Amino acid sequence: MSDDLPVIYFLDEEESQRNFLRNALRKLFADTHEIRSLPILPNAANYLQLLDAGDVSAVFIDQQLDQTGEITGFTGVKLAETLRGHFKEMTIYVVTGHAIEGELTSESAGSSDGIVPKPSLVIGDPRSLVFKQQFLRRLGQYDRGLTERQ
């Protein structure tokens, strides 16, 4: 990993899903970004200090952070709201393996740049290349991030 690459952070409270996100994001973006996991913190506001750095390119947050009991006070949408209140320009995605309904369709969900179904991050799923193209365009790195093979 190169120190000069921008960083994509991700957060999921379940270890198996952290591994999934780490692997999926690395396969999609290792050529353009360093991929780092965020630690599990007890309060959404704690992430403000942790992410207060210039190297943050994007944050991917699992929606159901409050399902295992390790995180109890906030969901992915609530964390996105907290981050957006402090980081107006940061790219923030809420990731879900479930149907897009409930809080994911609420006004609060508008704090993120989008809701991403987890299969859309898997190389081989037709949606993954579309998502990668949209993501890199958003960051202005489209030409750098796509190879001829992709």
Side-chain angles (χ1 to χ4, degrees):
M1 285 182 227
S2 175
D3 289 336
D4 59 345
L5 290 178
V7 178
I8 292 175
Y9 285 98
F10 66 93
L11 176 63
D12 198 302
E13 86 290 2
E14 291 184 60
E15 184 176 356
S16 65
Q17 293 304 303
R18 276 193 302 273
N19 292 334
F20 166 81
L21 282 174
R22 178 182 297 109
N23 292 332
L25 291 170
R26 281 184 179 160
K27 286 178 183 176
L28 282 172
F29 302 114
D31 52 342
T32 58
H33 290 81
E34 183 177 342
I35 309 300
R36 294 184 196 164
S37 178
L38 287 169
I40 295 171
L41 300 173
N43 186 309
N46 294 128
Y47 289 97
L48 297 176
Q49 291 176 314
L50 192 63
L51 292 171
D52 198 13
D55 65 346
V56 179
S57 184
V59 180
F60 287 77
I61 308 164
D62 180 59
Q63 167 56 10
Q64 295 193 330
L65 292 174
D66 57 351
Q67 295 300 299
T68 66
E70 288 192 57
I71 294 177
T72 57
F74 54 96
T75 62
V77 167
K78 292 297 181 196
L79 179 55
E81 251 185 324
T82 299
L83 294 176
R84 181 64 67 219
H86 191 74
F87 303 110
K88 304 292 185 211
E89 300 300 320
M90 182 181 287
T91 301
I92 303 168
Y93 287 98
V94 176
V95 182
T96 185
H98 302 281
I100 299 176
E101 58 187 19
E103 188 180 35
L104 290 172
T105 62
S106 70
E107 188 177 316
S108 297
S111 296
S112 72
D113 293 291
I115 308 300
V116 181
K118 284 185 180 178
S120 297
L121 299 175
V122 177
I123 295 289
D125 186 297
R127 297 170 291 184
S128 68
L129 181 56
V130 171
F131 177 75
K132 181 175 183 174
Q133 291 169 334
Q134 291 170 342
F135 178 84
L136 293 174
R137 275 191 197 102
R138 174 163 174 58
L139 299 179
Q141 298 176 327
Y142 183 75
D143 292 333
R144 179 176 163 210
L146 292 179
T147 65
E148 274 185 42
R149 193 184 83 201
Q150 293 171 316

